[in-house]
Amino acid sequence: MKMSKKSITILVLFIFLSCIFLAISGGYTVIKTVYKLRYESSVKYWAEEYSLDPYLVCSVIWTESKFDKEAESPVGAIGLMQIMPETGEWIADKLDLEDYHTEMLYEEDVNIRFGCWYLRFLLDRFEVTETACAAYNAGQNKVSDWLDLKTYSSDGKTLDVIPYEETAEYVERIRKAYEIYHFFYTI
């Protein structure tokens, strides 16, 4: 059986479009495997409670722990949003929580609540999301020092330069993760 030129063209077009579809759907699956979304109800609840963008919360969690509630950093930060024990105690005090203990930071709901509270605190203090994220990583006092220096900030609010490479990369990872979560998920 001999195929016409038109049939061959249609077949090639069909194969080409099928390959594109498979590449896109496969890529979608890979991206959702790398940028997973867990604890969605807690993220949604605490983001709303503290007037945060849930995609930002997911981005911080992914950057901090890749959604591993058992994560511990070399410096002692704990859980999904990598809360330092001292920061956890400070937040618990601000929230008037009785019977708080550090082990509670391994509980996803507690950790997300504390991380969201702290992120809201930093956003209220620094106003600019990237600056608040830099403070989440490097510490609020360090970021305040950077904002006071024209070398790092031309307006005292935005960091034009982040002098710590780790913090600069951290803020960039959050930005990229935000784009991915915002594009691939509906929260």
Side-chain angles (χ1 to χ4, degrees):
M1 179 176 150
K2 196 170 187 184
M3 291 179 66
S4 70
K5 210 174 194 184
K6 185 177 179 181
S7 296
I8 292 172
T9 303
I10 291 172
L11 179 62
V12 168
L13 183 60
F14 174 76
I15 292 170
F16 176 74
L17 292 174
S18 296
C19 288
I20 289 175
F21 174 76
L22 290 172
I24 291 171
S25 64
Y28 179 81
T29 302
V30 168
I31 288 173
K32 283 191 131 183
T33 300
V34 173
Y35 289 87
K36 41 190 123 164
L37 176 58
R38 295 183 179 152
Y39 317 113
E40 188 175 354
S41 61
S42 284
V43 167
K44 199 172 189 177
Y45 180 84
W46 292 114
E48 187 175 313
E49 182 73 18
Y50 292 111
S51 302
L52 295 169
D53 182 336
Y55 299 106
L56 176 61
V57 175
C58 288
S59 301
V60 170
I61 293 171
W62 185 86
T63 302
E64 289 287 350
S65 71
K66 306 286 189 282
F67 280 87
D68 177 5
K69 71 178 188 172
E70 301 294 325
E72 291 182 30
S73 77
V75 296
I78 297 171
L80 293 166
M81 296 187 79
Q82 291 291 276
I83 309 290
M84 291 295 289
E86 311 78 52
T87 306
E89 289 175 24
W90 177 71
I91 293 169
D93 185 57
K94 294 289 185 186
L95 294 172
D96 292 321
L97 294 180
E98 295 179 17
D99 301 326
Y100 168 78
H101 53 88
T102 301
E103 292 297 310
M104 292 171 73
L105 292 175
Y106 290 104
E107 299 171 22
E108 63 266 11
D109 197 61
V110 171
N111 196 284
I112 293 170
R113 178 184 184 188
F114 280 30
C116 285
W117 182 92
Y118 190 52
L119 195 53
R120 173 81 271 154
F121 171 84
L122 293 172
L123 284 165
D124 289 345
R125 178 170 179 188
F126 293 108
E127 300 175 16
V128 176
T129 301
E130 291 79 8
T131 306
C133 289
Y136 197 98
N137 178 261
Q140 55 184 313
N141 294 333
K142 183 57 67 183
V143 169
S144 290
D145 292 345
W146 295 341
L147 291 172
D148 288 340
L149 299 171
K150 292 287 182 204
T151 310
Y152 304 131
S153 176
S154 57
D155 63 5
K157 288 185 176 190
T158 305
L159 290 168
D160 303 319
V161 175
I162 299 175
Y164 287 1
E165 184 179 338
E166 175 189 331
T167 302
E169 290 172 359
Y170 174 86
V171 171
E172 180 60 17
R173 283 193 313 272
I174 287 178
R175 187 193 64 72
K176 286 180 181 176
Y178 180 88
E179 290 174 7
I180 290 167
Y181 278 103
H182 197 267
F183 184 81
F184 285 98
Y185 290 97
T186 302
I187 301 173

